[in-house]
Amino acid sequence: MKIRKAVIAAAGWGTRFLPLTKTMPKEMLPLLNKPIIQYSIEELAGAGIEMAVVITSQGKRAIEDYFDRSPDLEQMLAEKGMVEKSREVRDVCNMLDVCYVRQKEQLGLGHALLAARNMIGNEPFVLVLPDDLFEYGEQVLMRMMDIHRQYGGCVLASARVADKDVTRYGIIGPEELSNRVYRVKNLIEKPSLAEAPSNLAVMGRYILTPDIFEILMNTPPGRNQEIQLTDGLQRLLKRSPMFAYEAEGERYDAGSLAGWLDATFAMALKDPVIGPELKQSIMRRLQLDNAPAKTASKDQPVLPGILN
Ligand code: UTP
């Protein structure tokens, strides 16, 4: 069955970016000149998805406005001869059908997914967590769709993480089927290094079968009193086979300040226009940083408190 629909989970509080996320959805944070969530929409459109259901919550209306037409802006740009910019602004809303549903209380990712149940219906679909970005996101998704076609069942995107990081992720117990393709034997949420069956961590792209909805409806709140998607997946794994694809290329976690900065620099350095200048600037700063301090102590933050 062709996968036509996707869910983008964008209802979380974004506490790691407070106070910024008090009024601004973290999905609207920029990565270069686009908001984070646009990369998800582009990836889905590129992989042939026809409709995305974005799960939002209070204070996230900026996402809806962003993917809507902006006739005055388009006209102003066209009148000023900025035809390319005008087209770029219009293209943002034409990539695929986007609709929205609110998660009325932030009771976890599993709970958020249930809000999309009626819009998805009885067909397999993609779930995207927009904070997780892949260098080759479109290809990763298409490869996951191939695996779903071949084996059926759910398919999870995964990537190898350092030993020190296994405690931060859902970790897969893998049985290798072919290059980068695994059958998931078990799934452990945030294990200790000793418990971890591998260092293959689940990342924010999933192909899910619709039976996940019924399972989540009957999954009690787990960690943080939230309905956890991983708890639902563990239950689903007992019923039907599940697969994982080890994504190629870099992955960025834009859900924390350090990760977002890393993603920003990585993307900017690859950009043919701003990359070379940014590289010079970074090298100059690193030299300054290594030079003996004259006035202020090197250890003093430039903006106190910013990285708390
Ligand atoms: P995170 O664990 O990153 O939480 O959610 P968060 O709220 O986005 O950010 P922090 O940790 O407070 O800084 C993982 C994904 O699940 C979604 C988020 O939007 C993100 O895509 N989510 C989480 C929901 O949609 N609803 C929830 O109740 C919780």
Side-chain angles (χ1 to χ4, degrees), residues 8-14 21-27 54-64 100-108 111-112 115:
I8 301 179
W13 288 106
T21 40
K22 199 177 152 197
T23 56
M24 177 174 169
K26 77 168 166 182
E27 297 74 19
V54 182
I55 304 182
T56 64
S57 52
Q58 307 89 317
K60 301 260 183 175
R61 213 171 290 159
I63 299 177
E64 289 180 48
Y100 303 87
V101 60
R102 281 200 181 197
Q103 182 189 17
K104 295 182 187 73
E105 265 183 290
Q106 283 107 322
L107 298 177
H111 179 262

Side-chain angles (χ1 to χ4, degrees), residues 23-181:
T23 56
M24 177 174 169
K26 77 168 166 182
E27 297 74 19
M28 291 303 292
L29 277 169
L31 279 174
L32 306 190
N33 62 339
K34 296 178 200 170
I36 289 177
I37 194 168
Q38 186 168 343
Y39 293 88
S40 304
I41 297 279
E42 288 177 358
E43 184 182 307
L44 291 170
I49 293 292
E50 294 163 17
M51 181 183 106
V53 180
V54 182
I55 304 182
T56 64
S57 52
Q58 307 89 317
K60 301 260 183 175
R61 213 171 290 159
I63 299 177
E64 289 180 48
D65 290 342
Y66 184 77
F67 291 107
D68 196 2
R69 285 288 299 271
S70 194
D72 291 350
L73 175 63
E74 288 165 31
Q75 193 185 340
M76 180 279 288
L77 291 168
E79 280 170 9
K80 290 195 167 171
M82 299 164 86
V83 181
E84 189 50 41
K85 275 271 169 247
S86 175
R87 187 171 329 120
E88 206 180 325
V89 166
R90 192 172 48 243
D91 284 351
V92 167
C93 24
N94 291 335
M95 287 182 279
L96 74 163
D97 273 352
V98 186
C99 49
Y100 303 87
V101 60
R102 281 200 181 197
Q103 182 189 17
K104 295 182 187 73
E105 265 183 290
Q106 283 107 322
L107 298 177
L109 175 57
H111 179 262
L113 194 52
L114 282 173
R117 182 181 191 182
N118 285 333
M119 281 157 140
I120 295 297
N122 194 27
E123 52 185 291
F125 63 98
V126 173
L127 169 65
V128 175
L129 311 189
D131 292 355
D132 268 346
L133 288 118
F134 292 92
E135 186 179 12
Y136 305 118
E138 195 178 308
Q139 289 88 328
V140 169
L141 216 48
M142 292 205 286
R143 194 66 195 95
M144 290 170 68
M145 289 174 180
D146 287 342
I147 296 167
H148 173 75
R149 257 192 300 274
Q150 187 175 359
Y151 297 106
C154 295
V155 185
L156 319 179
S158 66
R160 301 226 170 247
V161 295
D163 283 355
K164 69 174 175 45
D165 291 329
V166 294
T167 52
R168 294 174 42 212
Y169 292 93
I171 300 290
I172 291 167
E175 175 194 327
E176 188 164 1
L177 296 178
S178 58
N179 186 28
R180 294 181 175 272
V181 180

